[in-house]
Amino acid sequence: MQDKIVVITGASGALGRVVAARAAALGARVVAVDHAAEAPPGLAEALGEHGLIRGGVDLSDAAAAEAAITAAGSVDILINIAGGFAWETVSDGEVATWDRLYRLNVVTALNACRAALPHLVASGAGRIVNIGANAAHKAATGMGAYAASKAGVHRLTEALAEEYKGRVTVNAVLPSIIDTPANRKDMPDADFGTWVTPDELAEVILFLASDAASAVTGALIPVTGRV
């Protein structure tokens, strides 16, 4: 990954920070994109002198996504981590939640992909890695809107993989519950030892982004932790 230009959306989040730091440690030039205006402590240092942070970017706006991607100059790898979650039952929830999660999970990835694809094709070894969800295979109570939006990410991944076969690889990683401080706070009685860690996810994501994964495209890879 030495000197590859890697754009990571959602780079200020718990998973994004880990992926960005690991990519930079492998020699990549990381462009960290996030909706948050301010980067979390330590991110700039982890990216090093060749890193670039683009905060305050609304990726659900196509023009904003285009501007953020263009700032990278060229792109070899796009990792779409930006997204959102809400637990809400169908009967008691709001239609607005379905709209919001669709924009946060599907539209952000779509806009970033569309903006990056010309650069990825020009790279000659372009990679896209999206973040889907294992929960999208079978939605549990309260997971309808989230699962539907992540299923959209899965279909986006498959469609792009077919469209760009032989030019850009497009894959998705499907986590179960990620071991983050926010999830531990929301589910204090859960068995955290069965959750997948950001470090474990980062390993799979960066493999799919590497030259070693040149023959893998259209894959939806569950990463479910220890059961």
Side-chain angles (χ1 to χ4, degrees):
M1 201 161 285
Q2 185 69 40
D3 295 326
K4 294 284 182 70
I5 298 176
V6 182
V7 175
I8 301 175
T9 74
S12 291
L15 176 58
R17 293 196 299 269
V18 172
V19 175
R22 281 179 172 254
L26 292 171
R29 301 184 177 212
V30 177
V31 180
V33 179
D34 204 276
H35 190 263
E38 299 294 329
L43 181 59
E45 291 78 7
L47 299 188
E49 62 178 326
H50 298 300
L52 177 64
I53 296 176
R54 297 279 295 177
V57 179
D58 179 4
L59 290 169
S60 68
D61 179 273
E66 179 75 33
I69 299 297
T70 300
S74 61
V75 183
D76 299 299
I77 298 162
L78 171 65
I79 302 174
N80 281 312
I81 300 176
F85 174 80
W87 190 97
E88 193 173 274
T89 62
V90 175
S91 56
D92 295 329
E94 302 289 338
V95 172
T97 302
W98 292 70
D99 290 337
R100 179 168 62 86
L101 292 186
Y102 181 82
R103 292 188 66 79
L104 286 174
N105 292 321
V106 182
V107 176
T108 57
L110 172 63
N111 285 340
C113 287
R114 285 171 57 89
L117 277 164
H119 304 283
L120 295 169
V121 171
S123 166
R127 305 279 185 269
I128 295 174
V129 184
N130 295 323
I131 303 299
N134 198 52
H137 287 315
K138 187 178 188 302
T141 297
M143 301 287 280
Y146 176 73
S149 67
K150 285 299 189 179
V153 174
H154 299 179
R155 303 293 83 81
L156 169 65
T157 300
E158 292 168 337
L160 279 178
E162 288 297 316
E163 287 181 35
Y164 284 83
K165 188 175 290 185
R167 294 180 289 167
V168 177
T169 68
V170 189
N171 297 289
V173 173
L174 283 50
S176 57
I177 301 173
I178 305 175
D179 190 359
T180 66
N183 282 338
R184 287 191 176 214
K185 181 180 178 181
D186 290 342
M187 293 173 273
D189 298 324
D191 180 1
F192 306 143
T194 64
W195 293 357
V196 62
T197 69
D199 284 315
E200 290 168 331
L201 280 168
E203 290 284 348
V204 180
I205 290 167
L206 292 177
F207 167 72
L208 292 172
S210 72
D211 291 339
S214 62
V216 183
T217 194
L220 305 177
I221 301 177
V223 185
T224 59
R226 293 152 299 283
V227 295

